[in-house]
Amino acid sequence: AQKVTQAQTEISVVEKEDVTLDCVYETRDTTYYLFWYKQPPSGELVFLIRRNSFDEQNEISGRYSWNFQKSTSSFNFTITASQVVDSAVYFCALSEARAGGSYIPTFGRGTSLIVHP
Amino acid sequence: EAQVTQNPRYLITVTGKKLTVTCSQNMNHEYMSWYRQDPGLGLRQIYYSMNVEVTDKGDVPEGYKVSRKEKRNFPLILESPSPNQTSLYFCASSTRGTTNEKLFFGSGTQLSVL
């Protein structure tokens, strides 16, 4: 079973629409971290946000906001008033401690967001 | 400028011809890793390294080798590439490889094995 599920493969919106990208995760750890990364058409992945499992406070950064709910194991990402520059593939990732102290972050399959002018 | 540098950006090769994709970071990071990205599968980790001379398998290590002789470099080696290794590859690094750290990614290497 997937540890990180991004059920939306592709979302297409028109500029200025709001859009929410879903992320559902699965873990038995009580301490873990969740991340969102953006992969624009240029290809390089860029870090957007990190949230630890003990901090359920929602976060807003400009047009971006994140809703973390442990009760539903979700960490959703909303873009308000989308712009063409938001077109990218967005990845949600889960980071858990593993035996030996090392970790391998698990990525979802990504959601491709296309914003039309 | 802090960065992870991968080379080459694009590579076309033939089955069985050994190749190396280089990765270098200038942030003095202890942790480095390699991922492959395939359509519909997201990013999957191939190998990672917690420090010099310390490497370990990720989720999809078959057909790949790595080495970490210097802190800054973490090359990915395909001894005998096959068409199923056609993929987009990313190198990534972080300070110590702990669960709370974000990853810094290279620009990617698009590999085609004919």
Side-chain angles (χ1 to χ4, degrees):
Chain A
Q2 287 183 57
K3 284 199 164 188
V4 178
T5 302
Q6 294 181 254
Q8 305 147 308
T9 304
E10 183 176 297
I11 301 175
S12 184
V13 299
V14 177
E15 209 168 19
K16 297 184 183 176
E17 281 186 42
D18 298 347
V19 58
T20 295
L21 283 60
D22 298 332
C23 174
V24 174
Y25 63 93
E26 178 187 329
T27 180
R28 293 180 181 175
D29 285 358
T30 54
T31 303
Y32 54 90
Y33 288 80
L34 294 160
F35 300 80
W36 276 95
Y37 289 86
K38 174 181 180 180
Q39 184 180 36
S42 59
E44 186 171 336
L45 284 99
V46 177
F47 166 81
L48 292 178
I49 191 171
R50 167 184 53 214
R51 173 67 71 218
N52 76 58
S53 52
F54 298 106
D55 181 4
E56 286 192 74
Q57 215 172 16
N58 290 333
E59 181 156 340
I60 298 174
S61 176
R63 296 185 296 106
Y64 294 175
S65 62
W66 290 269
N67 184 345
F68 176 31
Q69 292 195 338
K70 287 177 75 170
S71 60
T72 56
S73 296
S74 64
F75 186 42
N76 297 336
F77 173 29
T78 297
I79 301 175
T80 303
S82 60
Q83 299 177 1
V84 173
V85 293
D86 296 326
S87 297
V89 180
Y90 292 87
F91 289 96
C92 180
L94 167 70
S95 179
E96 313 161 276
R98 294 197 183 187
S102 62
Y103 84 109
I104 299 178
T106 303
F107 285 80
R109 295 181 177 179
T111 296
S112 176
L113 173 64
I114 302 169
V115 182
H116 299 281
Chain B
E1 180 190 351
Q3 59 185 2
V4 178
T5 304
Q6 284 179 238
N7 281 298
R9 189 75 189 268
Y10 301 95
L11 180 58
I12 301 174
T13 189
V14 295
T15 300
K17 186 175 182 182
K18 181 179 178 179
L19 66 91
T20 299
V21 183
T22 64
C23 175
S24 179
Q25 49 89 8
N26 63 0
M27 295 169 279
N28 201 35
H29 284 172
E30 292 180 2
Y31 179 91
M32 297 185 75
S33 61
W34 277 102
Y35 290 85
R36 61 178 288 173
Q37 181 181 3
D38 301 290
L41 296 178
L43 286 155
R44 295 178 294 167
Q45 193 175 60
I46 303 169
Y47 269 95
Y48 66 95
S49 170
M50 297 298 286
N51 213 325
V52 175
E53 303 292 2
V54 181
T55 62
D56 208 347
K57 297 177 181 178
D59 294 323
V60 287
E62 295 76 22
Y64 304 94
K65 283 176 58 177
V66 294
S67 69
R68 188 90 181 274
K69 293 183 169 52
E70 304 166 286
K71 198 171 188 179
R72 63 183 293 124
N73 296 324
F74 191 45
L76 179 69
I77 303 157
L78 284 72
E79 295 268 3
S80 183
S82 61
N84 65 11
Q85 292 179 299
T86 292
S87 186
L88 178 58
Y89 291 87
F90 286 98
C91 180
S93 72
S94 68
T95 307
R96 289 185 310 278
T98 55
T99 53
N100 62 326
E101 292 176 353
K102 66 181 182 182
L103 290 168
F104 294 81
F105 285 87
S107 299
T109 296
Q110 180 63 60
L111 172 64
S112 296
V113 183
L114 306 177

